[in-house]
């Protein structure tokens, strides 16, 4: 838990969000500024900054996130597939420094990296 972290505060219900899922360890909610018809984020309730800080002790947590995300995607109507994005650290374009997986789909999803 981190008092001033935006996503910790969302997971605690102190800041409203459109909740997708919650259990003892995980919280999922719709992105406030979606890039596709379905765009939600899955976060651990435990405050973890990013994948940059991850070590072996986080293996179970990350495994749970990666197995839960496809279930939530299906529940949100993404039977044909989805994109998952984890921006990691300043070098990865991360803006909110609490680990989150973006789950995106439902529209025309272009190739991820534009090549000119
Ligand atoms: P990042 O760039 O760190 O991977 O993604 C942060 C995401 O959080 C962005 O897609 C942004 O739209 C979303 N976001 C930022 N503030 C809020 C908020 O207060 N509520 C919700 N639901 N999403 C937010
Ligand atoms: Zn946090």
């Amino acid at each position: 838990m981190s008092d001033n972290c935006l996503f910790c505060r969302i997971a605690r219900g102190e800041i409203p969000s459109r909740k997708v899922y919650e259990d003892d360890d995980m919280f999922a909610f719709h992105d406030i500024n979606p890039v596709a018809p379905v765009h939600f984020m899955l976060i651990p309730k435990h405050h973890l900054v990013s994948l940059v800080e991850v070590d072996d002790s986080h293996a179970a947590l990350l495994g749970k996130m990666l197995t839960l995300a496809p279930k939530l995607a299906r529940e949100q109507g993404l039977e044909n597939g989805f994109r998952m994005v984890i921006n990691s650290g300043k070098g990865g374009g991360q803006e909110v420094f609490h680990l989150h997986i973006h789950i995106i789909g439902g529209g025309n999803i272009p190739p991820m990296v534009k090549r000119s």
Side-chain angles (χ1 to χ4, degrees), residues 1-12 43-49 96-99:
M1 288 282 183
S2 175
D3 283 352
N4 295 320
C5 168
L6 175 64
F7 284 179
C8 280
R9 298 191 67 199
I10 285 177
R12 288 198 295 263
I43 68 172
K45 286 185 172 175
H46 174 73
H47 181 78
L48 177 58
V49 173
V96 177
F97 287 89
H98 179 131
L99 176 68

Side-chain angles (χ1 to χ4, degrees), residues 58-72:
H58 301 108
L61 183 81
L62 295 172
K64 181 167 179 180
M65 291 179 80
L66 282 182
T67 51
L68 178 58
K71 291 182 199 161
L72 300 182

Side-chain angles (χ1 to χ4, degrees), residues 46-107:
H46 174 73
H47 181 78
L48 177 58
V49 173
S50 82
L51 286 183
V52 175
E53 284 74 20
V54 156
D55 60 36
D56 290 350
S57 71
H58 301 108
L61 183 81
L62 295 172
K64 181 167 179 180
M65 291 179 80
L66 282 182
T67 51
L68 178 58
K71 291 182 199 161
L72 300 182
R74 273 194 296 278
E75 285 172 15
Q76 294 299 310
L78 302 179
E79 289 89 0
N80 288 332
F82 50 86
R83 172 168 290 166
M84 299 205 321
V85 174
I86 310 177
N87 296 323
S88 304
K90 281 198 181 0
Q94 186 175 2
E95 292 179 317
V96 177
F97 287 89
H98 179 131
L99 176 68
H100 51 282
I101 302 179
H102 294 264
I103 296 107
I104 297 163

